[in-house]
Short mmCIF file of all heavy atoms in Angstrom, two decimals:
data_model
loop_
_atom_site.label_atom_id
_atom_site.label_comp_id
_atom_site.label_asym_id
_atom_site.label_seq_id
_atom_site.Cartn_x
_atom_site.Cartn_y
_atom_site.Cartn_z
N TRP A 1 -8.84 1.35 15.10
CA TRP A 1 -7.87 2.43 15.38
C TRP A 1 -6.46 1.89 15.50
O TRP A 1 -5.51 2.47 14.96
CB TRP A 1 -8.29 3.15 16.67
CG TRP A 1 -7.37 4.26 17.08
CD1 TRP A 1 -7.29 5.51 16.53
CD2 TRP A 1 -6.42 4.22 18.14
NE1 TRP A 1 -6.34 6.25 17.20
CE2 TRP A 1 -5.79 5.48 18.19
CE3 TRP A 1 -6.05 3.25 19.05
CZ2 TRP A 1 -4.81 5.80 19.12
CZ3 TRP A 1 -5.06 3.54 19.99
CH2 TRP A 1 -4.45 4.81 20.00
N VAL A 2 -6.28 0.76 16.20
CA VAL A 2 -4.96 0.15 16.33
C VAL A 2 -4.43 -0.28 14.97
O VAL A 2 -3.27 -0.03 14.62
CB VAL A 2 -5.00 -1.06 17.29
CG1 VAL A 2 -3.69 -1.85 17.23
CG2 VAL A 2 -5.27 -0.61 18.72
N ARG A 3 -5.28 -0.94 14.18
CA ARG A 3 -4.85 -1.39 12.86
C ARG A 3 -4.47 -0.21 11.97
O ARG A 3 -3.50 -0.30 11.20
CB ARG A 3 -5.95 -2.24 12.22
CG ARG A 3 -6.09 -3.61 12.87
CD ARG A 3 -7.03 -4.51 12.08
NE ARG A 3 -8.41 -4.09 12.20
CZ ARG A 3 -9.25 -4.53 13.16
NH1 ARG A 3 -8.83 -5.38 14.08
NH2 ARG A 3 -10.50 -4.12 13.20
N HIS A 4 -5.20 0.88 12.08
CA HIS A 4 -4.87 2.07 11.29
C HIS A 4 -3.48 2.59 11.65
O HIS A 4 -2.69 2.93 10.76
CB HIS A 4 -5.92 3.16 11.52
CG HIS A 4 -5.57 4.47 10.89
ND1 HIS A 4 -5.53 4.65 9.53
CD2 HIS A 4 -5.20 5.65 11.43
CE1 HIS A 4 -5.17 5.89 9.26
NE2 HIS A 4 -4.95 6.52 10.41
N ARG A 5 -3.17 2.64 12.93
CA ARG A 5 -1.86 3.14 13.35
C ARG A 5 -0.75 2.22 12.86
O ARG A 5 0.34 2.71 12.50
CB ARG A 5 -1.82 3.30 14.87
CG ARG A 5 -2.78 4.37 15.39
CD ARG A 5 -2.50 4.73 16.84
NE ARG A 5 -1.24 5.42 17.04
CZ ARG A 5 -1.06 6.72 16.94
NH1 ARG A 5 -2.07 7.51 16.63
NH2 ARG A 5 0.13 7.27 17.16
N ILE A 6 -0.99 0.94 12.83
CA ILE A 6 0.02 0.01 12.30
C ILE A 6 0.18 0.20 10.80
O ILE A 6 1.31 0.17 10.27
CB ILE A 6 -0.36 -1.45 12.65
CG1 ILE A 6 -0.34 -1.67 14.16
CG2 ILE A 6 0.58 -2.43 11.95
CD1 ILE A 6 1.02 -1.47 14.81
N ARG A 7 -0.92 0.40 10.08
CA ARG A 7 -0.84 0.65 8.64
C ARG A 7 0.01 1.88 8.34
O ARG A 7 0.83 1.87 7.42
CB ARG A 7 -2.24 0.84 8.05
CG ARG A 7 -3.08 -0.42 7.98
CD ARG A 7 -4.36 -0.15 7.20
NE ARG A 7 -5.29 -1.26 7.32
CZ ARG A 7 -6.35 -1.26 8.12
NH1 ARG A 7 -6.65 -0.19 8.84
NH2 ARG A 7 -7.13 -2.33 8.19
N VAL A 8 -0.20 2.92 9.09
CA VAL A 8 0.56 4.16 8.88
C VAL A 8 2.05 3.92 9.09
O VAL A 8 2.89 4.43 8.34
CB VAL A 8 0.04 5.27 9.83
CG1 VAL A 8 0.94 6.51 9.71
CG2 VAL A 8 -1.39 5.65 9.48
N ILE A 9 2.40 3.12 10.11
CA ILE A 9 3.81 2.80 10.35
C ILE A 9 4.39 2.01 9.18
O ILE A 9 5.52 2.27 8.74
CB ILE A 9 3.97 2.02 11.67
CG1 ILE A 9 3.63 2.93 12.86
CG2 ILE A 9 5.39 1.47 11.82
CD1 ILE A 9 3.54 2.20 14.17
N ILE A 10 3.62 1.06 8.67
CA ILE A 10 4.08 0.28 7.51
C ILE A 10 4.35 1.21 6.32
O ILE A 10 5.40 1.12 5.67
CB ILE A 10 3.03 -0.79 7.13
CG1 ILE A 10 2.95 -1.85 8.23
CG2 ILE A 10 3.39 -1.44 5.79
CD1 ILE A 10 1.82 -2.85 8.04
N LEU A 11 3.42 2.11 6.04
CA LEU A 11 3.60 3.06 4.93
C LEU A 11 4.82 3.94 5.17
O LEU A 11 5.60 4.20 4.24
CB LEU A 11 2.35 3.94 4.78
CG LEU A 11 1.05 3.22 4.39
CD1 LEU A 11 -0.09 4.24 4.33
CD2 LEU A 11 1.18 2.49 3.06
N LYS A 12 4.98 4.39 6.39
CA LYS A 12 6.10 5.25 6.74
C LYS A 12 7.43 4.52 6.53
O LYS A 12 8.41 5.12 6.09
CB LYS A 12 5.96 5.71 8.19
CG LYS A 12 7.05 6.64 8.68
CD LYS A 12 6.91 8.04 8.18
CE LYS A 12 7.91 8.97 8.85
NZ LYS A 12 7.89 10.33 8.33
N GLN A 13 7.47 3.24 6.87
CA GLN A 13 8.71 2.47 6.70
C GLN A 13 9.04 2.22 5.24
O GLN A 13 10.20 2.01 4.89
CB GLN A 13 8.61 1.16 7.48
CG GLN A 13 8.66 1.34 9.00
CD GLN A 13 8.66 0.03 9.76
OE1 GLN A 13 8.14 -0.96 9.29
NE2 GLN A 13 9.24 0.03 10.95
N TRP A 14 8.03 2.20 4.39
CA TRP A 14 8.29 2.08 2.96
C TRP A 14 8.91 3.35 2.37
O TRP A 14 9.53 3.31 1.31
CB TRP A 14 7.00 1.73 2.22
CG TRP A 14 6.56 0.31 2.46
CD1 TRP A 14 7.32 -0.71 2.94
CD2 TRP A 14 5.26 -0.24 2.23
NE1 TRP A 14 6.58 -1.86 3.02
CE2 TRP A 14 5.30 -1.61 2.59
CE3 TRP A 14 4.05 0.28 1.75
CZ2 TRP A 14 4.19 -2.46 2.49
CZ3 TRP A 14 2.94 -0.56 1.65
CH2 TRP A 14 3.01 -1.92 2.01
N LYS A 15 8.72 4.44 3.06
CA LYS A 15 9.36 5.74 2.78
C LYS A 15 8.94 6.38 1.46
O LYS A 15 8.30 7.42 1.43
CB LYS A 15 10.89 5.60 2.83
CG LYS A 15 11.42 5.23 4.20
CD LYS A 15 12.93 5.14 4.19
CE LYS A 15 13.43 4.76 5.58
NZ LYS A 15 14.91 4.63 5.60
N ARG A 16 9.31 5.80 0.37
CA ARG A 16 9.06 6.42 -0.94
C ARG A 16 7.71 6.01 -1.51
O ARG A 16 7.26 4.89 -1.29
CB ARG A 16 10.16 6.05 -1.93
CG ARG A 16 11.56 6.47 -1.49
CD ARG A 16 12.60 5.97 -2.47
NE ARG A 16 13.94 6.29 -2.04
CZ ARG A 16 14.56 7.44 -2.27
NH1 ARG A 16 13.93 8.37 -2.98
NH2 ARG A 16 15.79 7.65 -1.84
N ARG A 17 7.09 6.93 -2.23
CA ARG A 17 5.80 6.64 -2.85
C ARG A 17 5.93 5.49 -3.85
O ARG A 17 5.03 4.65 -3.96
CB ARG A 17 5.24 7.89 -3.54
CG ARG A 17 5.00 9.07 -2.61
CD ARG A 17 3.75 8.91 -1.83
NE ARG A 17 3.61 9.94 -0.78
CZ ARG A 17 2.45 10.49 -0.41
NH1 ARG A 17 1.33 10.13 -1.00
NH2 ARG A 17 2.43 11.39 0.54
N GLY A 18 7.06 5.46 -4.58
CA GLY A 18 7.26 4.39 -5.54
C GLY A 18 7.31 3.02 -4.88
O GLY A 18 6.73 2.05 -5.38
N THR A 19 8.02 2.94 -3.74
CA THR A 19 8.10 1.68 -2.99
C THR A 19 6.72 1.29 -2.46
O THR A 19 6.34 0.12 -2.47
CB THR A 19 9.07 1.83 -1.81
OG1 THR A 19 10.34 2.28 -2.29
CG2 THR A 19 9.25 0.51 -1.08
N MET A 20 5.97 2.28 -2.03
CA MET A 20 4.62 2.04 -1.53
C MET A 20 3.74 1.44 -2.63
O MET A 20 3.03 0.45 -2.40
CB MET A 20 4.03 3.36 -1.02
CG MET A 20 2.73 3.21 -0.25
SD MET A 20 2.00 4.86 0.07
CE MET A 20 3.44 5.71 0.79
N ILE A 21 3.78 2.05 -3.81
CA ILE A 21 2.98 1.58 -4.93
C ILE A 21 3.36 0.14 -5.29
O ILE A 21 2.51 -0.73 -5.49
CB ILE A 21 3.16 2.51 -6.15
CG1 ILE A 21 2.57 3.90 -5.83
CG2 ILE A 21 2.49 1.92 -7.39
CD1 ILE A 21 2.97 4.97 -6.83
N GLU A 22 4.67 -0.13 -5.34
CA GLU A 22 5.17 -1.45 -5.71
C GLU A 22 4.73 -2.51 -4.71
O GLU A 22 4.24 -3.58 -5.09
CB GLU A 22 6.69 -1.42 -5.80
CG GLU A 22 7.29 -2.75 -6.25
CD GLU A 22 8.81 -2.71 -6.30
OE1 GLU A 22 9.39 -1.59 -6.17
OE2 GLU A 22 9.43 -3.78 -6.44
N ASN A 23 4.87 -2.21 -3.41
CA ASN A 23 4.52 -3.19 -2.37
C ASN A 23 3.02 -3.44 -2.30
O ASN A 23 2.57 -4.58 -2.14
CB ASN A 23 5.04 -2.73 -1.02
CG ASN A 23 6.55 -2.81 -0.91
OD1 ASN A 23 7.19 -3.58 -1.64
ND2 ASN A 23 7.15 -2.04 -0.01
N LEU A 24 2.24 -2.37 -2.43
CA LEU A 24 0.79 -2.54 -2.42
C LEU A 24 0.32 -3.34 -3.63
O LEU A 24 -0.60 -4.16 -3.54
CB LEU A 24 0.10 -1.18 -2.37
CG LEU A 24 0.17 -0.42 -1.04
CD1 LEU A 24 -0.43 0.98 -1.19
CD2 LEU A 24 -0.54 -1.18 0.08
N TRP A 25 0.97 -3.10 -4.79
CA TRP A 25 0.61 -3.83 -6.00
C TRP A 25 0.91 -5.32 -5.86
O TRP A 25 0.12 -6.17 -6.25
CB TRP A 25 1.34 -3.23 -7.20
CG TRP A 25 1.12 -3.97 -8.49
CD1 TRP A 25 2.04 -4.61 -9.25
CD2 TRP A 25 -0.11 -4.16 -9.18
NE1 TRP A 25 1.48 -5.18 -10.35
CE2 TRP A 25 0.13 -4.91 -10.34
CE3 TRP A 25 -1.43 -3.75 -8.92
CZ2 TRP A 25 -0.86 -5.27 -11.25
CZ3 TRP A 25 -2.43 -4.11 -9.82
CH2 TRP A 25 -2.14 -4.86 -10.96
N LYS A 26 2.05 -5.65 -5.26
CA LYS A 26 2.42 -7.05 -5.04
C LYS A 26 1.41 -7.74 -4.13
O LYS A 26 0.97 -8.86 -4.39
CB LYS A 26 3.82 -7.14 -4.43
CG LYS A 26 4.95 -6.82 -5.39
CD LYS A 26 6.29 -6.92 -4.68
CE LYS A 26 7.44 -6.59 -5.64
NZ LYS A 26 8.76 -6.63 -4.94
N LEU A 27 1.06 -7.07 -3.03
CA LEU A 27 0.08 -7.64 -2.10
C LEU A 27 -1.29 -7.75 -2.75
O LEU A 27 -2.02 -8.72 -2.52
CB LEU A 27 -0.01 -6.78 -0.83
CG LEU A 27 1.20 -6.82 0.11
CD1 LEU A 27 1.07 -5.74 1.18
CD2 LEU A 27 1.33 -8.19 0.77
N ASN A 28 -1.63 -6.77 -3.57
CA ASN A 28 -2.91 -6.78 -4.29
C ASN A 28 -3.02 -7.99 -5.20
O ASN A 28 -4.06 -8.67 -5.22
CB ASN A 28 -3.04 -5.47 -5.08
CG ASN A 28 -4.29 -5.45 -5.96
OD1 ASN A 28 -5.41 -5.47 -5.48
ND2 ASN A 28 -4.06 -5.40 -7.27
N ARG A 29 -1.95 -8.27 -5.94
CA ARG A 29 -1.95 -9.43 -6.84
C ARG A 29 -1.94 -10.74 -6.07
O ARG A 29 -2.67 -11.68 -6.41
CB ARG A 29 -0.75 -9.37 -7.78
CG ARG A 29 -0.90 -8.35 -8.90
CD ARG A 29 0.21 -8.50 -9.92
NE ARG A 29 1.53 -8.34 -9.31
CZ ARG A 29 2.67 -8.51 -9.95
NH1 ARG A 29 2.67 -8.86 -11.22
NH2 ARG A 29 3.83 -8.35 -9.33
N LYS A 30 -1.12 -10.82 -5.03
CA LYS A 30 -1.00 -12.04 -4.25
C LYS A 30 -2.32 -12.43 -3.59
O LYS A 30 -2.71 -13.60 -3.58
CB LYS A 30 0.09 -11.87 -3.18
CG LYS A 30 0.29 -13.09 -2.30
CD LYS A 30 1.37 -12.83 -1.25
CE LYS A 30 1.54 -14.03 -0.32
NZ LYS A 30 2.56 -13.76 0.73
N ASN A 31 -3.00 -11.45 -3.05
CA ASN A 31 -4.23 -11.72 -2.31
C ASN A 31 -5.50 -11.51 -3.15
O ASN A 31 -6.61 -11.59 -2.61
CB ASN A 31 -4.29 -10.85 -1.05
CG ASN A 31 -3.15 -11.15 -0.10
OD1 ASN A 31 -2.85 -12.31 0.18
ND2 ASN A 31 -2.50 -10.11 0.40
N ARG A 32 -5.30 -11.19 -4.44
CA ARG A 32 -6.41 -11.03 -5.37
C ARG A 32 -7.45 -10.03 -4.86
O ARG A 32 -8.65 -10.31 -4.81
CB ARG A 32 -7.08 -12.38 -5.64
CG ARG A 32 -6.13 -13.40 -6.26
CD ARG A 32 -6.80 -14.73 -6.49
NE ARG A 32 -5.87 -15.70 -7.08
CZ ARG A 32 -6.20 -16.95 -7.41
NH1 ARG A 32 -7.45 -17.37 -7.18
NH2 ARG A 32 -5.29 -17.77 -7.92
N ASN A 33 -6.95 -8.85 -4.51
CA ASN A 33 -7.84 -7.81 -4.00
C ASN A 33 -8.65 -7.12 -5.11
O ASN A 33 -9.68 -6.51 -4.84
CB ASN A 33 -7.05 -6.76 -3.22
CG ASN A 33 -6.39 -7.35 -1.97
OD1 ASN A 33 -5.20 -7.18 -1.74
ND2 ASN A 33 -7.17 -8.05 -1.15
N GLY A 34 -8.14 -7.17 -6.33
CA GLY A 34 -8.91 -6.68 -7.47
C GLY A 34 -8.71 -5.22 -7.84
O GLY A 34 -9.43 -4.70 -8.70
N PHE A 35 -7.76 -4.53 -7.22
CA PHE A 35 -7.51 -3.13 -7.59
C PHE A 35 -6.62 -3.06 -8.83
O PHE A 35 -5.73 -3.89 -9.03
CB PHE A 35 -6.82 -2.38 -6.44
CG PHE A 35 -7.69 -2.19 -5.23
CD1 PHE A 35 -7.46 -2.93 -4.08
CD2 PHE A 35 -8.73 -1.29 -5.24
CE1 PHE A 35 -8.26 -2.76 -2.96
CE2 PHE A 35 -9.54 -1.12 -4.12
CZ PHE A 35 -9.30 -1.85 -2.98
N THR A 36 -6.87 -2.07 -9.66
CA THR A 36 -6.01 -1.84 -10.81
C THR A 36 -4.75 -1.11 -10.38
O THR A 36 -4.73 -0.43 -9.34
CB THR A 36 -6.72 -1.01 -11.88
OG1 THR A 36 -7.02 0.30 -11.34
CG2 THR A 36 -8.01 -1.68 -12.34
N HIS A 37 -3.70 -1.24 -11.18
CA HIS A 37 -2.46 -0.53 -10.88
C HIS A 37 -2.69 0.98 -10.88
O HIS A 37 -2.12 1.71 -10.06
CB HIS A 37 -1.39 -0.91 -11.90
CG HIS A 37 -0.02 -0.44 -11.52
ND1 HIS A 37 0.42 0.84 -11.76
CD2 HIS A 37 1.01 -1.08 -10.91
CE1 HIS A 37 1.66 0.98 -11.32
NE2 HIS A 37 2.05 -0.19 -10.80
N GLU A 38 -3.55 1.43 -11.79
CA GLU A 38 -3.84 2.86 -11.89
C GLU A 38 -4.48 3.40 -10.62
O GLU A 38 -4.15 4.50 -10.15
CB GLU A 38 -4.76 3.14 -13.09
CG GLU A 38 -4.10 2.96 -14.45
CD GLU A 38 -3.94 1.48 -14.82
OE1 GLU A 38 -4.56 0.60 -14.15
OE2 GLU A 38 -3.15 1.21 -15.76
N ARG A 39 -5.39 2.62 -10.05
CA ARG A 39 -6.07 3.09 -8.83
C ARG A 39 -5.10 3.14 -7.66
O ARG A 39 -5.14 4.07 -6.86
CB ARG A 39 -7.24 2.19 -8.49
CG ARG A 39 -8.08 2.74 -7.34
CD ARG A 39 -9.38 2.04 -7.16
NE ARG A 39 -10.13 2.61 -6.06
CZ ARG A 39 -11.23 2.07 -5.56
NH1 ARG A 39 -11.72 0.96 -6.10
NH2 ARG A 39 -11.85 2.65 -4.54
N ILE A 40 -4.26 2.12 -7.53
CA ILE A 40 -3.26 2.11 -6.47
C ILE A 40 -2.33 3.31 -6.62
O ILE A 40 -2.01 4.01 -5.66
CB ILE A 40 -2.46 0.79 -6.47
CG1 ILE A 40 -3.38 -0.38 -6.11
CG2 ILE A 40 -1.28 0.86 -5.50
CD1 ILE A 40 -2.74 -1.75 -6.24
N PHE A 41 -1.90 3.56 -7.86
CA PHE A 41 -1.02 4.69 -8.15
C PHE A 41 -1.69 6.01 -7.75
O PHE A 41 -1.08 6.85 -7.09
CB PHE A 41 -0.66 4.70 -9.63
CG PHE A 41 0.26 5.82 -10.03
CD1 PHE A 41 1.64 5.67 -9.95
CD2 PHE A 41 -0.25 7.05 -10.47
CE1 PHE A 41 2.48 6.72 -10.32
CE2 PHE A 41 0.59 8.08 -10.83
CZ PHE A 41 1.96 7.91 -10.76
N ALA A 42 -2.95 6.17 -8.13
CA ALA A 42 -3.68 7.42 -7.85
C ALA A 42 -3.84 7.65 -6.35
O ALA A 42 -3.67 8.77 -5.86
CB ALA A 42 -5.05 7.38 -8.53
N GLN A 43 -4.13 6.58 -5.59
CA GLN A 43 -4.31 6.70 -4.15
C GLN A 43 -3.01 7.06 -3.44
O GLN A 43 -2.99 7.84 -2.50
CB GLN A 43 -4.88 5.40 -3.57
CG GLN A 43 -6.31 5.11 -3.97
CD GLN A 43 -7.32 5.81 -3.08
OE1 GLN A 43 -7.00 6.30 -2.05
NE2 GLN A 43 -8.54 5.89 -3.52
N CYS A 44 -1.91 6.47 -3.91
CA CYS A 44 -0.62 6.70 -3.27
C CYS A 44 -0.02 8.07 -3.60
O CYS A 44 0.78 8.60 -2.81
CB CYS A 44 0.38 5.61 -3.68
SG CYS A 44 -0.02 3.98 -3.00
N MET A 45 -0.37 8.63 -4.72
CA MET A 45 0.23 9.88 -5.16
C MET A 45 -0.56 11.11 -4.73
O MET A 45 -0.24 12.23 -5.15
CB MET A 45 0.38 9.86 -6.68
CG MET A 45 1.34 8.79 -7.20
SD MET A 45 2.98 8.85 -6.44
CE MET A 45 3.59 10.40 -7.10
#
């Protein structure tokens, strides 16, 4: 529950959906999470 509330604050501070997609994509590539850009885009939009 605590981690969820922190995640929401992080998303809120990114403000725009485009910024959210870009930042999540960067973290996804850096940490090799394996999500496609399309899936990240679909979840954020």
